[in-house]
Amino acid sequence: MSFLPQDKNSRRLLLAFLVTVIFMVVEVIGGLISGSLALIADAGHMLTDAAALLIALLAVHFAKRKPSASHTFGYLRLTTMAAFVNAAALLVIVILIVWEAIVRFANPQPVMGGTMLAIGIAGLIANLFSFWLLHQGEEKANINVRAAALHVLGDLLGSIGAVAAAIIIMKTGWTPIDPILSVLVSCLVLNNAWRLMKESFHELLEGTPQEIDIEKLRKDLSVTIPEVRSVHHVHVWQIGEKRLMTLHVQVVPPHDHDALLGRIQAYLLDKYRIGHATIQMEYGTCNTPDCVISDSVAEEGHSHLGHSHAHHHH
């Protein structure tokens, strides 16, 4: 891995990581000079951000490694695991910030507003730059870049809060504004972290991608391709950004087996972005031990979840 990776996502993650680390050091120094615990706490927040960005970078790097006999899908799952760890880290950060805010509220600390304001503005600029970098990435597709962007968003909101708190402290001398704002910021971060954790956990559990309705997919396939009688034994899951699928398709015996297979694969790719589908075509009823499915169940459009998958190999 060269210092500046060729891949755009990696390059942006690396630059955001460097900006975060540099500014984290600035915040620690600023916190020590001004006696502001808020800045030192935010530097701790930035340390976890730097760790999150590093995890994201490593995950993107490993995801590019070629599949092997022992890891036939390669290392794509690492990106999902990294996103899950990032989300869990965000939840921990939120708990720490809220706890710190309660302690502060009970015992207000003297703060040098001017120094806090200067560091807060510098932090705001650094975080805006990092957030812009990550939002240039394909964050819609890459859960990992999105996880890193969420961390930086937390810091961005934290910096806005620090600037606002510093101004209020300088104007009025009212220090409790600092913990109050930090709790408000935490609530915003919490919402994003919880969503990301649910999404990555769903993917780790081999859940069906959220935009895919399996019942609709089964019906649409039968309607669009007349030779398809019924679709059953459907499994759809996602690894990294790749969607995978296995299914049994009962068909009218075709004149050209390969052409029909090609049409089914093209349909799945076009309509559902499923690029890797293992299709078992059947001309009669499906009688394999792990696929006992009655015609009535198939017609009703209910997926039969009771069968065992243990002996089924694709």
Side-chain angles (χ1 to χ4, degrees), residues 265-274:
Q265 282 172 328
Y267 176 81
L268 292 172
L269 181 62
D270 183 44
K271 294 282 179 219
Y272 293 96
R273 291 197 299 111
I274 298 167

Side-chain angles (χ1 to χ4, degrees), residues 72-294:
T72 55
F73 287 117
Y75 294 85
L76 291 168
R77 186 68 87 205
L78 276 172
T79 55
T80 315
M81 286 174 72
F84 183 76
V85 169
N86 280 4
L90 271 169
L91 291 175
V92 172
I93 289 165
V94 167
I95 292 163
L96 292 173
I97 290 172
V98 172
W99 177 253
E100 176 63 27
I102 292 164
V103 172
R104 280 265 170 118
F105 207 74
N107 306 295
Q109 301 290 319
V111 179
M112 284 168 63
T115 310
M116 186 180 172
L117 181 65
I119 302 287
I121 289 169
L124 186 60
I125 293 162
N127 285 314
L128 275 169
F129 179 63
S130 290
F131 192 65
W132 174 79
L133 271 176
L134 294 171
H135 258 270
Q136 297 299 303
E138 300 110 47
E139 75 280 349
K140 283 281 176 272
N142 193 322
I143 192 172
N144 212 47
V145 175
R146 222 163 78 229
L150 278 181
H151 268 281
V152 175
L153 179 63
D155 260 346
L156 184 60
L157 294 169
S159 296
I160 292 168
V163 169
I167 292 168
I168 290 167
I169 289 165
M170 285 169 76
K171 295 282 183 199
T172 66
W174 192 57
T175 51
I177 187 63
D178 182 22
I180 290 168
L181 276 168
S182 68
V183 171
L184 289 174
V185 169
S186 299
C187 292
L188 295 170
V189 176
L190 185 67
N191 179 41
N192 286 333
W194 184 246
R195 270 214 315 271
L196 184 75
M197 185 173 246
K198 277 202 314 198
E199 201 176 314
S200 52
F201 190 61
H202 181 74
E203 200 175 303
L204 287 171
L205 286 180
E206 308 280 359
T208 304
Q210 279 156 352
E211 315 88 86
I212 294 180
D213 178 344
I214 286 188
E215 289 309 321
K216 187 175 182 305
L217 185 149
R218 290 171 62 197
K219 285 175 188 147
D220 287 355
L221 200 55
S222 306
V223 169
T224 312
I225 300 171
E227 294 93 327
V228 173
R229 280 179 180 158
S230 76
V231 179
H232 53 275
H233 207 315
V234 180
H235 301 279
V236 189
W237 69 105
Q238 191 156 324
I239 296 181
E241 290 153 46
K242 292 190 179 175
R243 287 181 179 174
L244 302 106
M245 182 181 195
T246 61
L247 69 161
H248 286 198
V249 184
Q250 192 186 349
V251 296
V252 177
H255 298 298
D256 188 342
H257 176 280
D258 289 353
L260 178 57
L261 193 61
R263 278 163 62 207
I264 295 169
Q265 282 172 328
Y267 176 81
L268 292 172
L269 181 62
D270 183 44
K271 294 282 179 219
Y272 293 96
R273 291 197 299 111
I274 298 167
H276 185 117
T278 305
I279 301 162
Q280 180 166 314
M281 281 167 67
E282 299 155 348
Y283 305 143
T285 10
C286 181
N287 292 319
T288 53
D290 58 344
C291 190
V292 181
I293 184 160
S294 69

